[in-house]
Amino acid sequence: MQILIVEDEKKMVHVLRRGLLEEGYAVDIAYDGEEALEKVYVNEYDLIILDLMIPKIDGMTVLKKIRKENTNVPIIILTAKSSFEDKVKGLDEGADDYLTKPFSYAELTARIRALFRRGKKADAPILSIDNLTLDPSSRLVKRGDKIINLTNREFALLEYFMRNQNKVLSESKILEHVWDFNYQGLSNVVATYVKYLRKKLRTSPKDKELIHTVRGAGYIMRV
């Protein structure tokens, strides 16, 4: 599942992003309304976490514009405003849920799970390439008729590749989407996980290699 966080408080962004990444979600960040709309128009997200008090274009306007373009993506609004009227206005403009700051991370993740259970993304398309399929809703990965068991991080990495087929993805882009951009682990973490994925995706000697190294540039998923 790919989530967009729209929030200008960098400390909060870091906390939310790190937690969601650890749970296996792919995460994008936008620090203002303009950046948020640019990313929404380019990428297909499974859920958006939207702060109302953001620079350049306010969150309520962003919400309205998103709803004009995409009526399905679940949106949770974050607001420091606690009045009943503000919450109602956000819901009337198309938000699916709201949280008033300050809130607990556990409460946010509970709201996210509840939205997915409600079937907001029941029609999420199954991603496929060659005979490999990935279902974002059930988190089921299959090569032909064989089920492939992946860790949360491996699943997030594979989903990112499959959503960006035939595009060269640099290691920094992969780190930004699948790990934390400022990830302090081993310098070869991307190469290591690509190796893990390649091994797991080869369920038989006849299976084609799908993740290719582009020397000096990164990786690409293609047949």
Side-chain angles (χ1 to χ4, degrees):
M1 295 289 185
Q2 191 160 5
I3 295 177
L4 174 65
I5 299 174
V6 187
E7 169 64 71
D8 64 326
E9 295 182 20
K10 293 189 177 181
K11 185 176 180 180
M12 176 177 286
V13 167
H14 179 77
V15 172
L16 295 182
R17 183 179 199 172
R18 178 60 62 91
L20 293 172
L21 288 171
E22 288 301 322
E23 294 194 33
Y25 296 108
V27 181
D28 275 358
I29 303 297
Y31 291 104
D32 60 62
E34 285 185 1
E35 186 182 9
L37 291 174
E38 288 173 1
K39 292 195 172 184
V40 168
Y41 294 152
V42 172
N43 303 298
E44 181 180 342
Y45 293 104
D46 297 289
L47 184 136
I48 298 172
I49 300 169
L50 174 65
D51 183 27
L52 294 183
M53 303 296 290
I54 50 176
K56 295 186 179 181
I57 302 176
D58 67 89
M60 199 65 74
T61 301
V62 170
L63 174 61
K64 293 177 184 178
K65 289 180 178 291
I66 291 174
R67 280 295 175 244
K68 282 185 178 180
E69 298 293 330
N70 184 338
T71 59
N72 295 318
V73 59
I75 299 175
I76 299 175
I77 55 174
L78 306 180
T79 176
K81 300 177 180 179
S82 58
S83 75
F84 179 75
E85 290 77 12
D86 290 322
K87 296 170 184 176
V88 169
K89 183 178 180 182
L91 295 172
D92 283 345
E93 293 295 347
D96 296 276
D97 205 346
Y98 66 86
L99 281 172
T100 303
K101 296 178 180 179
F103 58 87
S104 70
Y105 174 75
E107 183 179 9
L108 173 63
T109 53
R111 300 291 184 93
I112 291 172
R113 291 191 295 269
L115 280 176
F116 288 147
R117 282 198 303 270
R118 269 195 250 162
K120 286 289 182 180
K121 292 297 287 184
D123 58 348
I126 293 177
L127 306 174
S128 65
I129 181 171
D130 193 48
N131 62 340
L132 175 69
T133 59
L134 181 150
D135 187 338
S137 298
S138 65
R139 298 179 67 83
L140 180 66
V141 178
K142 297 177 70 176
R143 189 86 190 250
D145 59 356
K146 295 179 182 178
I147 295 175
I148 300 173
N149 295 313
L150 301 176
T151 65
N152 283 342
R153 195 71 76 183
E154 290 167 346
F155 184 91
L157 178 58
L158 179 60
E159 183 179 5
Y160 185 53
F161 273 125
M162 295 188 74
R163 287 182 183 274
N164 293 276
Q165 294 176 34
N166 300 311
K167 296 180 183 177
V168 177
L169 303 175
S170 66
E171 288 198 358
S172 61
K173 271 194 173 183
I174 294 171
L175 280 171
E176 180 181 359
H177 286 78
V178 182
W179 283 268
D180 191 301
F181 185 75
N182 296 312
Y183 184 74
Q184 298 298 316
L186 298 174
S187 59
N188 65 341
V189 64
V190 174
T192 299
Y193 271 81
V194 167
K195 181 180 178 181
Y196 293 159
L197 266 186
R198 283 172 170 162
K199 184 176 181 180
K200 289 188 175 183
L201 296 183
R202 288 293 297 269
T203 60
S204 80
K206 295 182 180 180
D207 286 338
K208 297 177 181 177
E209 186 66 71
L210 298 176
I211 302 174
H212 305 271
T213 301
V214 180
R215 191 174 299 277
Y219 301 92
I220 187 171
M221 172 166 269
R222 58 174 171 75
V223 178

